Amino acid sequence: MEDVYCFGGNPLDRASERRDDGDWIAKLLDDPQTRLLALRDLKPFTRGTTTPTLDWQPVAPWRARIGAGAPLVFLGLGDGRAHFAIDAVGADVAPELDTGLIDVRALAPTLAHGEAAILAEARSLLDWHARHRFCAQCGAPSTVASAGWKRHCPACRASHFPRTDPVVIMLATRGERALLGRNRRRPGARFSCLAGFVEPGETPEEAVRREVREEAGVRCGRVRYLAAQPWPFPSSLMMGFLTEALTEEITVDAEELAEARWFSRTEIREMVARAATGPDDPAQVSLPSPIAIAHHICRRWSSGLDSV
Ligand SMILES: [Zn+2]
């Protein structure tokens, strides 16, 4: 069985073949067992303060918002009931709820795996609706369709579908060393795998070689896929790879990276251990926390579980 990382492993049955069945969706919304997750500014309503959980609510209190056309998404079936998400922007919400909103990045590590995955689905879709209110073809206002999985343009009849942006994230290795970069936008000594969007007309393997060449000037040969992780900021699919570096000399793209460096397997193993236990010590080189697939790519390679 493949490894599942944060935001992966969604337990819901998306029942995608029934999204267009308006009667069925209406029946689900009338069912008192149905659960609804509200997000405001892409942050979910939560319960509890020390270890917050998602605040699933019945549909009834949200009837007026649904009637007013707030984006509503059918997430899927689980535990014998339907799950929906709603965009609560503009909703009249009790102040004690509103102050408890936590950013998804901060919340995800404390949630159960399945809940984080459902939250990723909800966040990506509601963000897409918020940013795609007009038809990309003719510019007319579009409407939510297919239980939140489509937008329809009444003017030119075009259908628009939520997109997922493929990103390659890779560790280039050469013998007992691997290449990590330090982002310009991130302070301190935080290193990570190199990464970049797959471009139109490109395979993931080609994107891996191009990105390592562009960002660090290193040429790569073999590429091996490891695992993927949904990354709902706003809607990426992080695809993790190992790749075999054919050259060693580093020429950094100063637009992207402040620095790129070869680290030994032992150094990376130590960085992984530190990143798994707590916040960065600014005096030491560090890696992303286990929320990010970069952490697991480095962990698996440095502990000998994976090779190119
Ligand atoms: Zn249109």
Side-chain angles (χ1 to χ4, degrees), residues 182 187-191 259 261 263 267 271 274 279-287:
R182 188 160 64 79
R190 163 73 66 84
F191 282 80
E259 180 184 6
R261 209 197 283 177
F263 289 85
E267 283 175 303
M271 290 159 81
R274 285 200 298 273
D280 294 353
D281 173 355
Q284 288 186 303
V285 290
S286 67
L287 279 176

Side-chain angles (χ1 to χ4, degrees), residues 48-97:
T49 45
T50 43
T51 48
T53 56
L54 297 181
D55 184 17
W56 291 100
Q57 298 180 19
V59 175
W62 293 92
R63 277 282 169 206
R65 290 294 303 158
I66 295 169
L72 176 75
V73 173
F74 170 59
L75 299 170
L77 305 170
D79 290 337
R81 52 188 167 181
H83 295 65
F84 287 82
I86 191 168
D87 190 336
V89 169
D92 187 15
V93 175
E96 70 271 17
L97 268 181

Side-chain angles (χ1 to χ4, degrees), residues 135 137-140 153 155-158 160:
C135 176
Q137 190 159 278
C138 77
C153 174
C156 75
R157 307 180 70 82
H160 301 284

Side-chain angles (χ1 to χ4, degrees), residues 4-14 35 37 53-54 56 75-79 83 104 107-123 230 232:
V4 172
Y5 303 123
C6 188
F7 301 123
N10 193 324
L12 297 182
D13 167 7
R14 296 178 182 226
R35 307 203 298 176
L37 179 67
T53 56
L54 297 181
W56 291 100
L75 299 170
L77 305 170
D79 290 337
H83 295 65
V104 170
L107 180 64
T110 70
L111 294 177
H113 248 59
E115 294 263 292
I118 296 170
L119 179 56
E121 180 188 2
R123 189 190 194 280

Side-chain angles (χ1 to χ4, degrees), residues 22-44:
D23 292 341
W24 185 66
I25 295 293
K27 220 174 271 170
L28 293 178
L29 287 169
D30 283 338
D31 187 336
Q33 292 297 312
T34 293
R35 307 203 298 176
L36 185 146
L37 179 67
L39 285 84
R40 175 179 266 191
D41 298 329
L42 304 175
K43 297 171 187 171

